Amino acid sequence: MSDSVLDFYEGLAEEYHLLFADWEQSVDRQGAVLDALLRRSGAPPPRRVLDCACGIGTQALGLAARGYAVHATDLSPSAVARAEREARAMHVSLTTGVADMRMLDWQVPGTFHVVMSCDNAMAHLLEDSDLDDAAHAMASRLVPGGLLVASLRDHTALLEKRPRFTAERVLDTPLGRRVLFQVWDWAVDERQYTVRQFILRQESGIWHTTEHTGVYRLLQPVELEQALTRAGLVDPRWYTPEETGFNQPLITARKP
């Protein structure tokens, strides 16, 4: 995980909500989906949840609103600060901290019933050593019997298509029109890809453009399963978006 990951999320923190047609609605929907998964897995509220890649709070806020005791951490101080502001605005109670998911074992005190990392965050772990460090650190924060939850893009399907451009989305909002699209660049060995997120906003008839660049590993499901197994977790299970309603495949694994 390089400084470019921090720069990506520091720059995106104040605009992340613009990637959604209705971000608050998405917070509620994702909270409901994850709540259903956790209840099915035997971890209903008021279980303690560590969201170690919280961003501006898309999943953490939704779960906190449903009665979970959520501690939300992220590598990006700006994202964490934004999550704190959103929690106050939504009248939701959670605690926050700045932490690297590879270092949770000494940056985050205490243990939790659930440790979570969604929105393809683990694909930023470009080296096997980083992936193993994160898996071990996440496992270290789980109580015995605790549940790890993570989501990834469907990298198997992406490798087949090797997209270079995502079709634009045009959103008409009370504050003006928004146009969103991405340009993808693939490494020669196809082990990594770079996503350039473009956001075009129309305000008072004037268009403003911003671009945010993130680098990802083409992390395959078996690679993540193996890392979780090396970290001592058991019973890995994948859930498709059709099964859960979440926008990405989800994996769960338990601490014995």
Side-chain angles (χ1 to χ4, degrees):
M1 191 180 296
S2 66
D3 291 342
S4 66
V5 178
L6 177 59
D7 292 341
F8 178 49
Y9 289 106
E10 284 284 284
L12 194 54
E14 294 304 318
E15 294 192 320
Y16 191 82
H17 66 290
L18 299 176
L19 303 180
F20 301 83
D22 186 326
W23 181 68
E24 291 192 13
Q25 184 180 74
S26 293
V27 168
D28 182 67
R29 181 183 60 79
Q30 293 193 30
V33 166
L34 291 170
D35 175 41
L37 177 66
L38 296 183
R39 289 177 183 273
R40 185 191 318 177
S41 303
R47 291 294 195 258
R48 297 189 305 278
V49 175
L50 169 62
D51 184 349
C52 68
C54 70
I56 67 170
T58 308
Q59 293 84 35
L61 293 165
L63 287 177
R66 284 167 172 74
Y68 292 85
V70 178
H71 184 57
T73 67
D74 198 274
L75 184 70
S76 164
S78 295
V80 171
R82 175 81 190 277
E84 292 171 349
R85 296 202 311 271
E86 296 298 339
R88 290 192 294 269
M90 296 180 187
H91 306 289
V92 168
S93 177
L94 50 70
T95 58
T96 61
V98 175
D100 185 322
M101 69 171 68
R102 299 167 300 178
M103 304 176 186
L104 301 174
D105 43 352
W106 63 273
Q107 289 183 340
V108 176
T111 54
F112 302 83
H113 299 100
V114 179
V115 175
M116 182 171 64
S117 172
C118 290
D119 287 336
N120 205 44
M122 296 190 77
H124 286 301
L125 301 162
L126 303 182
E127 303 295 333
D128 288 343
S129 58
D130 290 325
L131 181 61
D132 280 340
D133 286 346
H136 280 88
M138 294 168 74
S140 76
R141 297 301 86 193
L142 283 170
V143 301
L147 190 73
L148 180 141
V149 180
S151 81
L152 287 179
R153 288 185 175 119
D154 186 346
H155 286 138
T156 302
L158 284 174
L159 185 58
E160 294 176 358
K161 297 178 180 179
R162 298 177 182 83
R164 294 298 309 278
F165 177 82
T166 61
E168 70 279 359
R169 296 168 58 214
V170 180
L171 305 176
D172 290 301
T173 76
L175 298 178
R177 178 167 288 184
R178 251 183 354 257
V179 180
L180 309 171
F181 65 90
Q182 297 175 346
V183 176
W184 291 46
D185 293 309
W186 292 80
V188 174
D189 62 2
E190 296 183 331
R191 291 287 296 160
Q192 297 179 15
Y193 58 97
T194 299
V195 176
R196 304 180 192 280
Q197 173 70 61
F198 289 86
I199 303 173
L200 286 69
R201 288 179 292 165
Q202 185 183 39
E203 297 177 356
S204 303
I206 299 174
W207 284 92
H208 305 270
T209 304
T210 54
E211 181 264 336
H212 306 280
T213 301
V215 180
Y216 297 88
R217 168 184 181 162
L218 199 75
L219 184 58
Q220 296 296 331
V222 66
E223 292 178 305
L224 181 53
E225 286 183 34
Q226 290 170 348
L228 299 181
T229 299
R230 288 193 296 270
L233 301 179
V234 299
D235 193 25
R237 177 177 176 183
W238 285 96
Y239 298 84
T240 66
E242 291 74 22
E243 289 178 282
T244 64
F246 199 75
N247 62 302
Q248 294 177 344
L250 285 159
I251 187 172
T252 62
R254 289 194 180 276
K255 184 170 183 175

